[in-house]
């Protein structure tokens, strides 16, 4: 069983930047699709970005061009660089590991991604003020 621990959240002003990290322990992330998700107050959790083991990436439309997902398998760590943050980005951010090693990252709408991920962190809060 893998444990995922997110860090790097905080409070920033509109237009600011943050980098989130997700450290995995207990098992490897190598070979797995990894993803970042977020849940804003009063909303459902939604997909933000995914990255496969070849560093192919997918992004939700609302974060394209502003967020960058990356991974370091040697450090068993996933990252999310966030720039030009907006108040609408305020949410709890979660990292997650795909249920199947070697499986591709899911396609389609970000709202369809969650069922493919079976291991989740506890989340880190990002707050963007205007």
């Amino acid at each position: 069983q893998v444990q995922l621990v997110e860090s790097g959240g905080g409070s920033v002003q509109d237009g600011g930047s943050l980098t989130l990290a997700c450290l995995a322990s207990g098992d490897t992330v190598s070979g797995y699709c990894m993803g970042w998700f977020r849940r804003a107050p009063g909303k459902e959790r939604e997909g933000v970005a995914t990255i496969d083991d070849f560093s192919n990436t997918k992004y939700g439309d609302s974060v394209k061009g502003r967020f960058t997902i990356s991974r370091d398998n040697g450090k068993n760590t996933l990252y999310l660089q966030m720039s030009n943050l907006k108040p609408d980005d305020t949410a709890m951010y979660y990292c997650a590991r795909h249920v199947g090693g070697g499986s591709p990252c899911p396609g389609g709408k970000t709202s369809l991604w969650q069922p493919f991920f079976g291991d989740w962190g506890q989340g880190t809060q990002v707050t963007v003020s205007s």
Side-chain angles (χ1 to χ4, degrees):
Q1 184 82 16
V2 68
Q3 289 81 45
L4 303 172
V5 178
E6 302 92 339
S7 62
S11 296
V12 296
Q13 291 192 321
D14 194 350
S17 300
L18 282 173
T19 296
L20 307 183
C22 172
L23 176 64
S25 61
D27 197 5
T28 184
V29 299
S30 179
Y32 285 84
C33 170
M34 298 294 295
W36 284 99
F37 294 76
R38 67 185 182 186
R39 191 199 318 262
K43 295 186 178 181
E44 297 291 319
R45 188 159 57 185
E46 65 173 355
V48 174
T50 62
I51 184 168
D52 67 16
D53 207 41
F54 303 98
S55 292
N56 295 308
T57 59
K58 299 178 183 178
Y59 295 93
D61 288 343
S62 63
V63 306
K64 279 180 183 176
R66 301 188 298 121
F67 290 13
T68 302
I69 187 172
S70 61
R71 65 193 295 163
D72 185 335
N73 286 350
K75 295 182 178 179
N76 234 16
T77 303
L78 179 73
Y79 301 97
L80 185 68
Q81 295 175 277
M82 305 184 293
S83 61
N84 192 19
L85 283 161
K86 305 175 182 179
D88 284 349
D89 295 317
T90 294
M92 185 71 79
Y93 283 72
Y94 303 87
C95 72
R97 191 180 75 166
H98 197 282
V99 296
S103 298
C105 288
K109 296 180 179 180
T110 59
S111 58
L112 303 178
W113 291 355
Q114 284 195 76
F116 294 92
F117 292 83
D119 297 294
W120 295 83
Q122 294 299 305
T124 186
Q125 178 68 37
V126 173
T127 302
V128 185
S129 58
S130 56

